[in-house]
Amino acid sequence: MVPARLVAMAERDPYSRVQYRRLIAWPERIRREWPLIDEVLGSGPSRRIVELGSGPAQHARALVDGGYEVVALDRSESMIESASEEPIPPELELVLGDMVEVDRLTSGTFGGALCLGNTLPHLGDEERLRRFAVALAKVLEPGAPLLLQILNYDRIHDRGIRSLPLSFRPHEEGELVFLRLMEPLPDGRVRFYPSTLLLRPGREPALTLERSREILLRGWRHPEVEEIFREAGLRPERALGGFEDEPFDPSESHDLVLVARREG
């Protein structure tokens, strides 16, 4: 029987059973993303960084290793628990809470901000995105950069994209397969279905569903994000199609990587 505490967590936390620490090849991902992360955040007025939607805090730990002080904020209790499984260095602070309230949940100011992965789409309407942008602008020092990465929802909506590439990770019985199906909706939202399968060659059945959730997201388009950030005093500087510094193409790029900077 599943413990009542875990059942309650799953009901309020859609990522309570999504094992991102196991399903993502973190060292390879961070090596690929680090040059741009360090370039952008290193250009800020201080090396005190806030990471928004920090998940299992793998990026936050990489930043600490790179000489930054980091406050890692995530609203998922299970992600904070996952991030706490390893010793926490003194330069890293884990905070449980909604990034819309970053100004209330943190103290002091920051020389930069990082927001990666599928974080921003959890802000499901313009009011929440505006509140987040205003709150973030309050805690960033003048000239502080924001590095944001989301999926390219311009492409997803316009083409009706239904899935992301599969991810495979080793498992003692075979391989874990991370399947991400989605359904773009006419109102700009996206039904997202993160699911984990276990592939066991030579067994019957060879493929079993380990876990699956349905999450309703907002598929923010590039112009929507830039407009709201600009109104909050976060001036867009660059729009890239990935971490290799390639220009953003709304019809072709897999991701939107946006660099913005606090005015003042």
Side-chain angles (χ1 to χ4, degrees), residues 6-7 9-18 179 181 191-196 209 211-215:
L6 296 182
V7 173
M9 183 187 296
E11 290 176 349
R12 66 176 181 270
D13 180 356
Y15 291 102
S16 62
R17 299 185 66 193
V18 180
L179 175 65
L181 302 178
R191 288 196 182 99
F192 188 65
Y193 306 95
S195 304
T196 307
L209 179 64
R211 56 187 62 87
S212 183
R213 303 286 297 185
E214 177 180 327
I215 305 167

Side-chain angles (χ1 to χ4, degrees), residues 20 23 69 115 131 133 137 199 226 259:
Y20 281 112
L23 292 170
E69 176 188 350
C115 185
R131 283 177 55 199
L199 176 62
E226 285 206 344
V259 180

